Amino acid sequence: MKKLINNPENVVKEELEGISYAHPDLVKVFFDPNYIVRADAPVQGKVGIVSGGGSGHEPMHGGFVGMGMLDAACPGAVFTSPTPDQMLEATKAVNGGAGVLHIVKNYTGDIMNFEMAADLARAEGIDIESVVIDDDVAVQDSLYTAGRRGVGTTVLAEKLCGAAAEERRSLKQVADLCRKVNGWGRSMGMALTSCTVPHVGKPTFDLPEDEMEIGIGIHGEPGRERMKVKSADEITEMLMEPIVKDLPYKSGDEVLIFVNSMGGTPLIELYIIYRKAYEIAQKHGLKVVRHLIGPYITSLEMAGCSITLLKMDDDLKKLWDAPVKTPGMRWGA
Amino acid sequence: MKKLINNPENVVKEELEGISYAHPDLVKVFFDPNYIVRADAPVQGKVGIVSGGGSGHEPMHGGFVGMGMLDAACPGAVFTSPTPDQMLEATKAVNGGAGVLHIVKNYTGDIMNFEMAADLARAEGIDIESVVIDDDVAVQDSLYTAGRRGVGTTVLAEKLCGAAAEERRSLKQVADLCRKVNGWGRSMGMALTSCTVPHVGKPTFDLPEDEMEIGIGIHGEPGRERMKVKSADEITEMLMEPIVKDLPYKSGDEVLIFVNSMGGTPLIELYIIYRKAYEIAQKHGLKVVRHLIGPYITSLEMAGCSITLLKMDDDLKKLWDAPVKTPGMRWGA
């Protein structure tokens, strides 16, 4: 295992220390239990938005804490659900009196622990809504999931709901928006290589030098099929076609295309994937009105990519363009 | 070779097509010769800034074209210098009457071709200044370089000079600023793995499973030493100590720390490196006033990192914070 780490047991703690050194203007980092909140939390009268999940998917979620996106993130150990006490403390820290939305990726441990945290927070008088993201069209059930897995749409939901909360929309409105985004987003991923969980020390799975896996999960969960490595254009078709069919997106729809690196795939390759994804979208009559290209929901150093398509409307476009200031996503008005 | 590409000969062309589909609001892409200019070029009365070099280091340089940074970038083939005609066309396209600055990384081919392009542009009546970046403290001469190689400080110089040009500083002022930034910046990198140039098809060098190389160049040029893989903290010390000694930075100096991924190293590891780099800077009495963490000057999918330290002053802080809107670096006021 070749990684830039010290003791594998300390990876998350030391990463959080690095974040606390780098971004004191944007976030506050708490330890034992571990959670990250925006520096000015709680924002009075604003819906708080909390997400979280296993570490190893950086910048998601900790890198998305800040103005215009998340109020708090709860990082678990690598590929391991955070605990209810992390979620409860984060929820209390960002409660500005307008309630708190939990954005939860559909993994059994995350669901269970966020439900427990929501119950505990409600017992303390905080209004909670929870929305589960389950956008991965690759497989129906999976290693850690009943139903579809939650992947790339999570990043988009966090941006869009964060902007809606900044506008002081109500808890019900922000939660309904999150459900709409989940309903309009579809994703699928693939891997060229495995990744290695630091405290495990060996690759999560074996993939021969000439093979790839289509439909892989972000923890290396099995996908749809293993096959010989194909060209970027063929791979893009294999990801895009099931996505486009699933919603189904219709000719004339406006869409955002999100091409994501699994961690070890560089930007030059992502643009080659984006090129073909854009052409396929056009072929279907879809109008590409926004995009996101880069490593945003990763699987440690796994080589590969995922594509997410999100149907857009005027409200979503306005929310997408709204300012955001977080360690991992930042732009002006 | 596992990559998300089609024909290895078409990697740069298809990447540029992807960029042209994604960012028509920010840049215009030209083919044969290949260059990228900001969408509103030429900006009348503003110094134009042009950089370029071999592809394979994305987002540098093409991803840095836009308001507040570069006016144009010239991408060569992977790890191959662009040609004088690319540079000349780019220079003419961004000349707004206030002259054009060429920011050139110190590689023999880049130097030679940018000199030729500067001569040709001057013959057409355009004022040109050229500044060579040579900030890599690892080795004195190298495979493609007489003197020190140009690496991470290039990214910082492009941001800072871009902001100065937006303020309508003169060509001489922007060029002097670039020289100052080069004089105040020091870098060193390391690799855990090699990378593979697409049209070569096999790794640039062999590095055994338990070894790393300290002082590597961004094209895989030999560094200082190969050794068994060490901990992140030890690696950070091996990079930081030669950097800090070289300027020499003094106790009380304000600095920016830039921790860069070579392409295949994920963000979670960069924060662990940043954590130790910050602590080492503090130990030396340096005040860390700004930072940059992420993949900005990469070497295809190479795993590893580089650290750049830049001495800062009030002017550089103001320029660093100025708005920027490019595909690869974007923030508001």
Side-chain angles (χ1 to χ4, degrees), chain A residues 232 266-273 275, chain B residues 1 3-19 31 34 55-58 75-79 196-200 300-301:
Chain A
L267 198 55
I268 190 170
E269 299 178 30
L270 298 186
Y271 275 109
I272 293 173
I273 296 289
R275 166 187 167 275
Chain B
M1 174 176 62
K3 286 178 185 291
L4 299 174
I5 61 174
N6 296 300
N7 182 338
E9 302 298 328
N10 294 339
V11 163
V12 173
K13 174 179 166 285
E14 292 179 354
E15 179 220 358
L16 291 176
E17 288 172 356
I19 290 174
F31 295 88
N34 297 338
S55 292
H57 308 299
E58 292 68 22
V78 172
F79 293 180
T196 297
V197 174
H199 61 266
V200 176
L300 297 167
E301 75 285 3

Side-chain angles (χ1 to χ4, degrees), chain A residues 161-194:
Chain A
C161 293
E166 294 293 341
E167 288 186 354
R168 300 298 187 271
R169 296 192 194 178
S170 71
L171 178 59
K172 180 170 187 313
Q173 287 173 318
V174 179
D176 284 345
L177 176 77
C178 196
R179 290 182 196 104
K180 167 174 149 177
V181 170
N182 184 53
W184 282 8
R186 295 292 189 278
S187 300
M188 193 154 135
M190 57 79 58
L192 291 171
T193 67
S194 179

Side-chain angles (χ1 to χ4, degrees), chain B:
Chain B
M1 174 176 62
K2 278 187 175 182
K3 286 178 185 291
L4 299 174
I5 61 174
N6 296 300
N7 182 338
E9 302 298 328
N10 294 339
V11 163
V12 173
K13 174 179 166 285
E14 292 179 354
E15 179 220 358
L16 291 176
E17 288 172 356
I19 290 174
S20 75
Y21 292 162
H23 309 293
D25 53 326
L26 301 178
V27 301
K28 283 181 288 195
V29 180
F30 295 86
F31 295 88
D32 303 315
N34 297 338
Y35 59 99
I36 303 173
V37 304
R38 57 186 274 180
D40 58 350
V43 181
Q44 291 306 319
K46 190 186 85 68
V47 170
I49 305 181
V50 177
S51 192
S55 292
H57 308 299
E58 292 68 22
M60 188 184 80
H61 301 273
F64 300 146
V65 176
M67 191 280 291
M69 215 162 166
L70 295 178
D71 291 84
C74 308
V78 172
F79 293 180
T80 302
S81 294
T83 56
D85 63 320
Q86 291 176 264
M87 300 163 181
L88 177 64
E89 292 304 318
T91 299
K92 287 157 66 175
V94 305
N95 172 35
V100 176
L101 171 66
H102 290 173
I103 300 180
V104 187
K105 300 195 303 305
N106 190 31
Y107 299 97
T108 305
D110 290 7
I111 299 271
M112 193 175 67
N113 291 352
F114 264 110
E115 276 178 6
M116 198 176 301
D119 287 344
L120 294 166
R122 285 190 194 104
E124 301 201 21
I126 304 173
D127 280 344
I128 304 287
E129 286 249 24
S130 292
V131 177
V132 174
I133 305 291
D134 58 351
D135 61 316
D136 188 339
V137 304
V139 292
Q140 183 50 37
D141 297 312
S142 188
L143 203 53
Y144 311 113
T145 314
R148 288 178 166 183
R149 300 175 297 220
V151 288
T153 299
T154 315
V155 177
L156 310 179
E158 292 177 0
K159 168 67 184 84
L160 295 162
C161 293
E166 294 293 342
E167 287 185 354
R168 298 297 188 271
R169 296 192 194 179
S170 72
L171 178 59
K172 179 168 186 317
Q173 287 173 318
V174 179
D176 284 345
L177 176 77
C178 197
R179 290 182 195 103
K180 166 174 151 176
V181 170
N182 185 51
W184 283 10
R186 295 291 187 278
S187 299
M188 193 154 135
M190 58 78 59
L192 291 172
T193 67
S194 178
C195 56
T196 297
V197 174
H199 61 266
V200 176
K202 61 186 178 59
T204 302
F205 55 93
D206 290 315
L207 200 51
E209 180 48 41
D210 59 345
E211 290 189 14
M212 62 177 187
E213 181 152 343
I214 292 283
I216 195 92
I218 57 173
H219 314 95
E221 307 98 307
R224 287 188 169 190
E225 194 180 351
R226 287 195 180 188
M227 61 183 76
K228 299 290 177 196
V229 174
K230 297 210 183 311
S231 73
D233 284 358
E234 290 169 307
I235 290 167
T236 309
E237 277 175 21
M238 278 187 279
L239 299 178
M240 279 290 282
E241 294 302 338
I243 288 172
V244 170
K245 275 189 200 131
D246 194 86
L247 186 51
Y249 297 87
K250 294 189 308 293
S251 181
D253 279 351
E254 293 188 324
V255 294
L256 178 154
I257 298 178
F258 170 26
V259 174
N260 173 63
S261 167
M262 291 297 202
T265 285
L267 196 54
I268 189 169
E269 299 178 29
L270 298 186
Y271 275 109
I272 293 173
I273 297 289
Y274 183 79
R275 166 186 167 275
K276 187 68 181 178
Y278 182 93
E279 290 176 352
I280 292 170
Q282 284 208 312
K283 191 190 73 183
H284 286 283
L286 305 177
K287 189 174 172 205
V288 183
V289 295
R290 296 292 186 277
H291 67 270
L292 186 66
I293 302 169
Y296 290 99
I297 168 173
T298 59
S299 302
L300 297 167
E301 75 285 3
M302 184 187 285
C305 72
S306 64
I307 298 177
T308 297
L309 220 62
L310 176 66
K311 185 175 149 170
M312 299 291 277
D313 61 16
D314 288 347
D315 189 44
L316 295 187
K317 282 188 284 186
K318 188 188 70 170
L319 294 169
W320 183 257
D321 294 340
V324 60
K325 198 167 178 184
T326 71
M329 200 180 289
R330 181 176 171 192
W331 58 71

Side-chain angles (χ1 to χ4, degrees), chain A residues 1-3 55-58 78-79 144 190-207 213 216-221 226 262-265 297-304, chain B residues 2 264 266 268-269:
Chain A
M1 173 176 63
K2 279 187 176 184
K3 286 179 185 290
S55 292
H57 308 299
E58 291 69 22
V78 172
F79 293 0
Y144 310 113
M190 57 79 58
L192 291 171
T193 67
S194 179
C195 56
T196 297
V197 174
H199 61 265
V200 176
K202 61 186 178 57
T204 302
F205 57 92
D206 291 314
L207 200 53
E213 179 151 345
I216 195 94
I218 57 172
H219 313 95
E221 306 98 306
R226 287 195 179 186
M262 290 299 202
T265 285
I297 168 173
T298 60
S299 302
L300 296 167
E301 76 285 3
M302 183 187 285
Chain B
K2 278 187 175 182
I268 189 169
E269 299 178 29

Side-chain angles (χ1 to χ4, degrees), chain A residues 17-32:
Chain A
E17 287 172 357
I19 290 175
S20 74
Y21 293 162
H23 309 293
D25 53 325
L26 301 178
V27 301
K28 285 181 289 196
V29 180
F30 294 86
F31 295 88
D32 302 315

